[in-house]
Amino acid sequence: MPKKYIDLHLHTTASDGSFTPSQLVTKAKELGFSAIAITDHDTIDGITEGIDLAEKLDIELVPGIEMNTDYENTEIHVLGYYIDYKDQKFIDKLASLKEARYNRIKRIVGKLNALGLEIDFEEVKKNADGGALGRPHVAQIMLDKGYVEEWSEAFDKYIAKGAPAYVERKKLTPQEAIQLIKEFGGIPVVAHPVLIERDELLDQLIEWGIEGIEVYHTEQDDKDSKRYLEFAQKNSLLITGGSDCHGPRRKGEVLIGKIKASYDILESLRQYRSN
């Protein structure tokens, strides 16, 4: 029996990815994945479209989300799996986060204009194509207009924290995100822990109720994965894995296929959820 693979960290045009949900599901099927999760930033708008096609193509799709949070000036992303994406109360809570993103990007564009970069907010909205606005949508316009030579340069030079056009965004705390995910039936998992750069915070996340850790990720080498796997085993945490793919127009390359986590991981998630 052939080995089955999963990717539980993928983005679509519903947030800052450049694959539509349907394109993402089709790509996953082409690459031979048995299951994937759509985990857009602070939104579940791409899930229904993805699930509809996934059912037709006989590929399993886990409804998920990635929530951006902040603690002690450290950005921590919390993944949520098997969330009740149809619950109207959850949808309403996410709407306020979407509005905060909208206002933040509008201010960033204003700062870029003041720096002499001719970018129109309507262009950024069009680039997002109805998805939740994020800095990657601004970065893409800057790249398209020749203000920067690489996608990453837009962040480093203009819109990363500490750069001249950066604007702070209203964020949940990790504890709030964990509670919100659990409130609506989800399993909270800390995303790409290596990017937090503060492993000592993992113990705090456990105290707040985190139930899993992303062991396999494109930014984590074998040594990192081994360390986080041992941490998960020591603390009885679930493990997950995913590429964090944002599609062909984000971050320079298509990452789906770079991480092929074992289907056993998803079976453990499902079993945990049913207990």
Side-chain angles (χ1 to χ4, degrees):
M1 186 175 178
K3 192 169 176 63
K4 296 167 72 175
Y5 295 104
I6 61 172
D7 187 328
L8 298 183
H9 193 159
L10 296 165
H11 298 276
T12 76
T13 50
S15 65
D16 58 347
S18 57
F19 280 133
T20 66
S22 294
Q23 288 171 335
L24 181 65
V25 171
T26 301
K27 184 69 174 177
K29 183 67 176 179
E30 289 172 356
L31 291 171
F33 283 98
S34 295
I36 61 170
I38 288 180
T39 55
D40 280 313
H41 292 282
D42 299 332
T43 182
I44 42 79
D45 289 352
I47 292 175
T48 298
E49 178 187 332
I51 284 179
D52 287 346
L53 182 60
E55 289 176 351
K56 294 175 184 175
L57 297 182
D58 192 28
I59 180 171
E60 189 174 348
L61 196 148
V62 177
I65 194 167
E66 182 174 12
M67 309 206 76
N68 294 23
T69 76
D70 190 76
Y71 177 69
E72 293 182 345
N73 294 316
T74 300
E75 189 162 343
I76 299 172
H77 290 193
V78 181
L79 294 158
Y81 295 108
Y82 291 109
I83 49 169
D84 186 355
Y85 64 97
K86 295 181 180 179
D87 191 301
Q88 190 59 49
K89 288 182 181 178
F90 188 46
I91 293 168
D92 291 344
K93 285 179 181 290
L94 295 178
S96 66
L97 294 177
K98 188 172 184 177
E99 184 179 2
R101 280 178 171 271
Y102 182 96
N103 293 331
R104 180 200 192 198
I105 298 305
K106 199 167 188 178
R107 290 177 61 199
I108 286 175
V109 169
K111 284 194 169 189
L112 289 170
N113 291 163
L115 292 169
L117 281 67
E118 295 182 6
I119 294 174
D120 189 271
F121 183 58
E122 292 301 317
E123 291 178 296
V124 180
K125 285 169 60 180
K126 185 177 179 181
N127 183 253
D129 195 25
L133 287 173
R135 287 178 295 166
H137 298 122
V138 180
Q140 190 63 53
I141 296 294
M142 294 167 71
L143 183 63
D144 292 345
K145 289 196 162 190
Y147 289 123
V148 294
E149 294 183 4
E150 295 181 2
W151 191 86
S152 58
E153 184 187 349
F155 277 82
D156 296 341
K157 192 173 179 180
Y158 293 101
I159 57 177
K161 193 163 189 174
Y166 180 77
V167 173
E168 287 284 351
R169 180 170 62 84
K170 176 189 174 184
K171 292 181 185 177
L172 298 174
T173 67
Q175 188 173 18
E176 288 171 334
I178 291 167
Q179 290 173 345
L180 186 63
I181 289 166
K182 286 185 172 183
E183 181 183 348
F184 294 99
I187 301 170
V189 172
V190 58
H192 39 62
V194 77
L195 298 182
I196 299 173
E197 299 181 339
R198 292 180 63 187
D199 279 1
E200 72 274 10
L201 291 182
L202 296 178
D203 290 327
Q204 180 66 67
L205 288 167
I206 291 173
E207 285 186 30
W208 286 333
I210 207 79
E211 295 173 331
I213 184 169
E214 191 171 43
V215 169
Y216 307 105
H217 185 273
T218 45
E219 294 285 346
Q220 293 171 186
D221 60 23
D222 290 344
K223 186 177 178 182
D224 294 323
S225 294
K226 183 175 183 292
R227 182 168 85 254
Y228 293 125
L229 178 59
E230 289 173 351
F231 181 85
Q233 292 169 338
K234 178 183 175 183
N235 292 280
S236 301
L237 294 174
L238 294 161
I239 67 170
T240 68
S243 64
D244 204 357
C245 179
H246 284 71
R249 297 191 73 208
R250 308 281 186 250
K251 300 189 177 181
E253 64 176 315
V254 176
L255 295 177
I256 186 170
K258 302 287 185 184
I259 295 289
K260 288 192 170 183
S262 171
Y263 190 82
D264 296 346
I265 288 172
L266 185 55
E267 290 180 325
S268 294
L269 277 178
R270 265 204 309 267
Q271 183 178 356
Y272 179 85
R273 177 175 174 243
S274 63
N275 289 341

